[in-house]
Amino acid sequence: TASGHTQWEVPQAGPQAQEQPAVSPPPVAQQPHHGKRRQYAAGQTQVYYAEGAADPSFLGGGQQQQPAAGGQLFTPGLVGEQFGMQQQAPVQPPYYQPGQEPEYINGPTYGQQQQPQPPYGQAPVDQLAGQFGQLGMGGAQKQFQLYTTNLLTSPPEPRELYRPPPEIRLPPNSCISPSPFANPDPSYKRSTLNAIPTTSSLLGKAKVPLALIITPYRSLKEGDEAVPLITDTVIARCRRCRTYINPYVQFIDGGNRWRCCMCNMANEVPQLFDWDQVRNQPGDRWSRAELNHSVVEFVAPTEYMVRPPQPAVYVFLIDVSHTAVQSGMVATATRTLLENLDRIPDEDERTKIAIICYDVSLYFFSLPPGSTDPSMLVVSDIDDVFLPKPTDLLVNLAEARSTLETLLGRINDMFQENSIVGSAMGPALQAGFKLMAPIGGKIVVLSSSLPSVGAGALKPREDPKVLGTAKESALLQAASPFYKTFAIECSRAHVSVDMFLFSAGYTDVASLACLPHYTSGQTYYYPAFNAGRSEDALKFAHEFGEVLAMPIMLEAVMRVRASRGLRMASFHGNFFVRSTDLLAMPAVPQDQSYAIEIQIEETITSPFVVFQTAVLHTTCFGERRIRVITLALPTTSNVSEVFASADQVAIGTLLANKAVERALTHKLEDSRDYIFQKLVEILVSYKSNMTSGGAGASAQLAISENMKMLPVLVLGLLKNVSQAPSYYVELFIDHEVVSLSRLAFARVHKSPPISGPTPSAS
């Protein structure tokens, strides 16, 4: 053992009897009347029998047991009474001789005189705290270092935008796991401030906004760790606030209960939490992913399902009017779809697909499985849309593959001579909704002209005379209530809508973009599309192919919880707010970000706060899961630490969302003024609070080193097409709306390249 002895020995009587080793004592013989107690691996006892524990003589003087095949075990319930004494016992020096290296060391400060051992399972969260402990500083929290820079003499360095945000410096013992994954990668969740002010007045003094930028379903690059998957369906949640167990909870009562890190409620540990269901034997609690990783996925049990998990369903609405055919959109779209059938997610062979074409009529296609001859059914009555056939319109992709390939090869030739000008997009949307409403899924709309007949018909309303005036904001609003109402119906039925818009003229993107906005979809815009230009055809084919191949979260709902004293104030992104804090997202595309502003309602007294995002969703291969992302941040009452912890990329992303909101509700000039004024407020606050009595008092444009690229980001926002004055750049209103959409919901970890004019809208 660590002491050099072959057996455990009973401590001798006298003054030394109170000394106890910090290493894990070997297990004792299990008593018959405790046969059903929960047992743990012996290696876990290092955090249970800590320095300063009570007299270990209660363990008995029996001979040491030989380790079993499954590892040594101990039963915490047998020492429940001594556990409370352990937390208050005085610190004792180590009993081993200098030069002897113990087998288990309880933290980096082993053998040092320090404060009493923290509660059960509380280990330092980072190595810096441990290094300070080794220096005899008791594991004190490292303070933020603030460095002031002069923007007039320090040129901007674009590579600064790709550097990690300021380090999160949590107080010692805030995390029960020393895992480096106890806080999420910034690409999943990041805060505008990595040190949360304890009061709202301190936040107002700094003038830096407080918000979260969340990308719950980001794509994994080469070398990225996959999100850990917990398959045993044992989900521990707080009974009061419903927080999921995470690395920042505390275990109490000998490990039989855990204290919530948000509301301090004591909860029972589930019976199967310490059981390895794969090996059917006692498991190691500390190896569970939810206690070591901040981003985890649970396989949801049946109580999280209203119905069996839905399959992935795709309904394609293709405009086949004269304009669409002549521009080459129909040929490019059908060829791209045909080439990417193998990339559509269909691992379990449950994916369903349907194709509906439309001009001023609707064209359905019957695709009987096993047949290679599709048949077309025409519905001319667009005032009362109905499905012409109850079956074979929405078919299984694998079963009807040959029929589908035949159809995609014929569609362009079918409508090659079509001379009809007009678009019944509204009735086509209603038909697609009727087809998939019982299941849910994704509608993909490809349109080349302004909807002109049937429900949702629109009229040209672009007026160059109002550009740059107060009336311009009216053109950024939806002209018809049909699209917002229809989008809410889609959200309730778990139907998402993606829009691919091709037009040489006015398309009223402001009205059509309501569909992706409220159904968590995306808008793609190709002005004056002509497939004869290779750049147009390649760009559309690439983006359309990526949408087809993208794995998506289906029928998702998202909720963000925070520690006491914090409240989610407002939400920005493509979703529908179902209740005060529940966001409904029929489909969550990869890399789509959401901004959530946070309000400090009362003084925060805890040394750190926790934000937890939970997304209940169905994978595209038919498995119900819960993705949980937990972020812990320290609190501070020092304004200098607020500035030193600011994340400039997150602030820029939030300002972009706020600017878009103001452009839609006010005039464009108000949006520009808001961005500019917010930057001025931050600069003035920094200079008045941080440089008035310091060496940098003479600096004309002083800012902290970690925010020196914020003015460049703001300049990029002001030069973006969506924010540029109409007299400054020749701009159609459709370009402006699409630029606003792309600006607001850009991928946060790819946001720097979008500054300046937006190529996708030109």
Side-chain angles (χ1 to χ4, degrees):
T1 64
S3 62
H5 300 284
T6 58
Q7 298 186 24
W8 181 79
E9 300 177 0
V10 180
Q12 298 178 1
Q16 296 180 352
Q18 298 299 324
E19 297 181 359
Q20 173 185 335
V23 299
S24 303
V28 299
Q30 188 173 356
Q31 301 299 326
H33 60 281
H34 292 295
K36 295 185 178 180
R37 293 278 186 171
R38 194 173 299 151
Q39 295 181 324
Y40 303 85
Q44 301 168 22
T45 60
Q46 57 175 320
V47 293
Y48 189 85
Y49 302 103
E51 290 182 4
D55 189 344
S57 59
F58 62 84
L59 291 174
Q63 296 296 317
Q64 181 178 6
Q65 294 180 346
Q66 295 300 321
Q72 295 181 348
L73 305 171
F74 78 97
T75 306
L78 295 176
V79 292
E81 297 179 0
Q82 286 79 3
F83 180 76
M85 301 169 56
Q86 175 184 348
Q87 306 303 313
Q88 302 177 357
V91 178
Q92 301 293 336
Y95 81 104
Y96 62 89
Q97 298 298 324
Q100 289 183 331
E101 182 66 23
E103 182 180 357
Y104 298 108
I105 301 180
N106 187 22
T109 58
Y110 187 81
Q112 304 275 343
Q113 291 291 339
Q114 53 178 301
Q115 297 299 320
Q117 188 68 19
Y120 174 75
Q122 303 300 299
V125 66
D126 55 17
Q127 298 301 321
L128 281 175
Q131 293 173 8
F132 276 98
Q134 291 175 355
L135 294 175
M137 298 177 63
Q141 179 181 0
K142 184 179 179 181
Q143 300 298 314
F144 285 92
Q145 297 295 323
L146 184 66
Y147 301 97
T148 299
T149 184
N150 185 0
L151 294 175
L152 297 180
T153 59
S154 176
E157 174 55 61
R159 286 178 294 184
E160 292 277 345
L161 295 173
Y162 297 95
R163 293 181 180 175
E167 181 186 0
I168 298 175
R169 295 170 180 170
L170 291 169
N173 306 324
S174 56
C175 180
I176 61 177
S177 169
S179 168
F181 305 106
N183 253 336
D185 187 272
S187 57
Y188 284 107
K189 180 191 285 188
R190 64 200 302 170
S191 172
T192 55
L193 294 174
N194 281 347
I196 305 299
T198 54
T199 63
S200 58
S201 59
L202 180 60
L203 180 63
K205 182 180 181 180
K207 301 298 184 183
V208 180
L210 178 58
L212 294 176
I213 309 299
I214 304 171
T215 311
Y217 197 25
R218 77 168 181 88
S219 56
L220 295 178
K221 298 179 289 237
E222 185 177 356
D224 287 350
E225 293 284 340
V227 176
L229 180 63
I230 302 168
T231 60
D232 58 10
T233 67
V234 177
I235 302 178
R237 299 184 66 181
C238 177
R239 290 182 291 120
R240 178 189 292 162
C241 66
R242 306 303 294 161
T243 296
Y244 294 82
I245 196 169
N246 58 77
Y248 301 97
V249 303
Q250 295 179 359
F251 286 103
I252 58 177
D253 291 348
N256 290 319
R257 297 202 295 168
W258 61 278
R259 190 181 300 281
C260 178
C261 56
M262 292 195 185
C263 68
N264 292 325
M265 179 77 174
N267 303 273
E268 295 290 334
V269 175
Q271 288 295 324
L272 294 177
F273 196 74
D274 301 308
W275 185 259
D276 188 339
Q277 297 185 17
V278 176
R279 298 180 177 87
N280 198 27
Q281 65 183 21
D284 181 3
R285 169 181 295 188
W286 304 109
S287 66
R288 289 190 67 94
E290 60 264 49
L291 299 182
N292 292 279
H293 292 77
S294 58
V295 184
V296 295
E297 269 195 357
F298 298 92
V299 174
T302 54
E303 54 263 30
Y304 288 83
M305 306 179 193
V306 179
R307 60 179 183 178
Q310 71 171 72
V313 178
Y314 296 85
V315 174
F316 298 94
L317 308 181
I318 304 176
D319 183 358
V320 291
S321 63
H322 177 75
T323 305
V325 175
Q326 294 303 312
S327 67
M329 183 273 285
V330 176
T332 307
T334 53
R335 185 178 64 251
T336 303
L337 182 55
L338 178 61
E339 293 173 351
N340 288 275
L341 285 178
D342 289 328
R343 300 179 66 195
I344 295 177
D346 189 24
E347 294 183 19
D348 56 352
E349 295 190 347
R350 296 199 309 157
T351 300
K352 296 180 179 295
I353 193 170
I355 295 177
I356 301 175
C357 297
Y358 67 94
D359 42 31
V360 296
S361 301
L362 304 181
Y363 306 94
F364 295 84
F365 296 94
S366 177
L367 308 170
S371 171
T372 58
D373 188 18
S375 57
M376 183 171 69
L377 307 171
V378 182
V379 175
S380 300
D381 184 4
I382 58 175
D383 295 326
D384 186 13
V385 177
F386 63 93
L387 300 179
K389 193 177 180 182
T391 59
D392 297 337
L393 299 179
L394 183 65
V395 296
N396 184 281
L397 175 59
E399 295 175 357
R401 177 65 180 267
S402 58
T403 314
L404 193 59
E405 291 177 348
T406 303
L407 173 63
L408 291 173
R410 293 180 182 176
I411 286 181
N412 188 61
D413 295 333
M414 289 180 184
F415 298 97
Q416 187 64 46
E417 305 300 326
N418 191 4
S419 59
I420 297 176
V421 176
S423 172
M425 181 193 293
L429 286 166
Q430 292 175 332
F433 179 76
K434 286 179 179 290
L435 200 58
M436 66 192 312
I439 308 175
K442 182 183 283 290
I443 296 178
V444 181
V445 182
L446 299 100
S447 172
S448 285
S449 55
L450 185 71
S452 57
V453 296
L458 300 171
K459 295 181 180 180
R461 56 179 180 137
E462 186 178 37
D463 186 359
K465 296 180 181 178
V466 304
L467 298 180
T469 67
K471 297 181 179 179
E472 182 179 2
S473 61
L475 298 180
L476 304 179
Q477 307 294 326
S480 171
F482 167 81
Y483 292 98
K484 182 175 181 179
T485 304
F486 182 76
I488 295 174
E489 291 180 8
C490 288
S491 179
R492 289 174 182 157
H494 305 291
V495 174
S496 176
V497 181
D498 282 351
M499 304 289 293
F500 288 82
L501 304 176
F502 315 78
S503 180
Y506 179 66
T507 313
D508 201 351
V509 180
S511 298
L512 301 180
C514 284
L515 290 170
H517 177 73
Y518 292 106
T519 64
S520 67
Q522 301 178 90
T523 302
Y524 298 85
Y525 185 49
Y526 308 91
F529 178 83
N530 184 355
R533 293 195 297 264
S534 59
E535 58 270 24
D536 284 9
L538 290 175
K539 182 176 185 295
F540 165 57
H542 171 72
E543 293 182 349
F544 189 34
E546 290 300 308
V547 169
L548 294 174
M550 181 185 299
I552 54 177
M553 292 179 171
L554 300 169
E555 50 182 352
V557 289
M558 182 172 76
R559 175 171 274 134
V560 181
R561 298 177 175 89
S563 296
R564 185 177 301 173
L566 299 171
R567 181 177 67 87
M568 305 299 117
S570 59
F571 305 88
H572 307 277
N574 280 7
F575 46 74
F576 178 69
V577 183
R578 187 176 296 177
S579 62
T580 54
D581 62 345
L582 185 66
L583 310 181
M585 298 178 288
V588 183
Q590 279 188 330
D591 297 323
Q592 193 167 85
S593 298
Y594 308 93
I596 301 177
E597 293 185 81
I598 302 168
Q599 181 177 343
I600 302 176
E601 290 188 315
E602 58 186 66
T603 301
I604 302 172
T605 57
S606 58
F608 68 97
V609 295
V610 178
F611 301 93
Q612 189 175 84
T613 303
V615 185
L616 175 63
H617 66 281
T618 300
T619 64
C620 50
F621 47 85
E623 190 173 48
R624 196 71 170 153
R625 291 184 180 180
I626 309 165
R627 176 165 291 196
V628 178
I629 307 173
T630 306
L631 172 67
L633 298 173
T635 57
T636 181
S637 57
N638 191 338
V639 69
S640 64
E641 292 190 352
V642 175
F643 285 114
S645 67
D647 182 348
Q648 57 190 357
V649 174
I651 295 173
T653 305
L654 176 66
L655 291 180
N657 282 272
K658 297 283 287 183
V660 170
E661 182 182 282
R662 283 189 169 262
L664 296 177
T665 57
H666 301 72
K667 57 183 180 180
L668 187 62
E669 195 63 31
D670 290 341
S671 174
R672 292 172 51 82
D673 289 344
Y674 171 80
I675 302 173
F676 182 76
Q677 195 60 38
K678 196 62 185 176
L679 176 62
V680 171
E681 288 179 359
I682 294 174
L683 291 171
V684 171
S685 174
Y686 186 86
K687 185 172 183 180
S688 61
N689 288 294
M690 306 311 303
T691 63
S692 57
S698 61
Q700 296 183 18
L701 275 178
I703 194 66
S704 60
E705 182 75 16
N706 54 295
M707 286 197 292
K708 68 179 182 180
M709 288 300 294
L710 183 59
V712 179
L713 288 176
V714 170
L715 179 63
L717 290 176
L718 295 175
K719 288 188 174 183
N720 188 273
V721 171
S722 65
Q723 301 295 314
S726 302
Y727 55 81
Y728 180 76
V729 55
E730 275 191 39
L731 189 67
F732 292 108
I733 200 68
D734 282 343
H735 293 66
E736 188 169 335
V737 174
V738 171
S739 298
L740 286 169
S741 176
R742 289 182 177 272
L743 179 62
F745 314 123
R747 307 166 187 178
V748 62
H749 54 292
K750 299 182 180 179
S751 58
I754 70 167
S755 300
T758 307
S760 301
S762 60

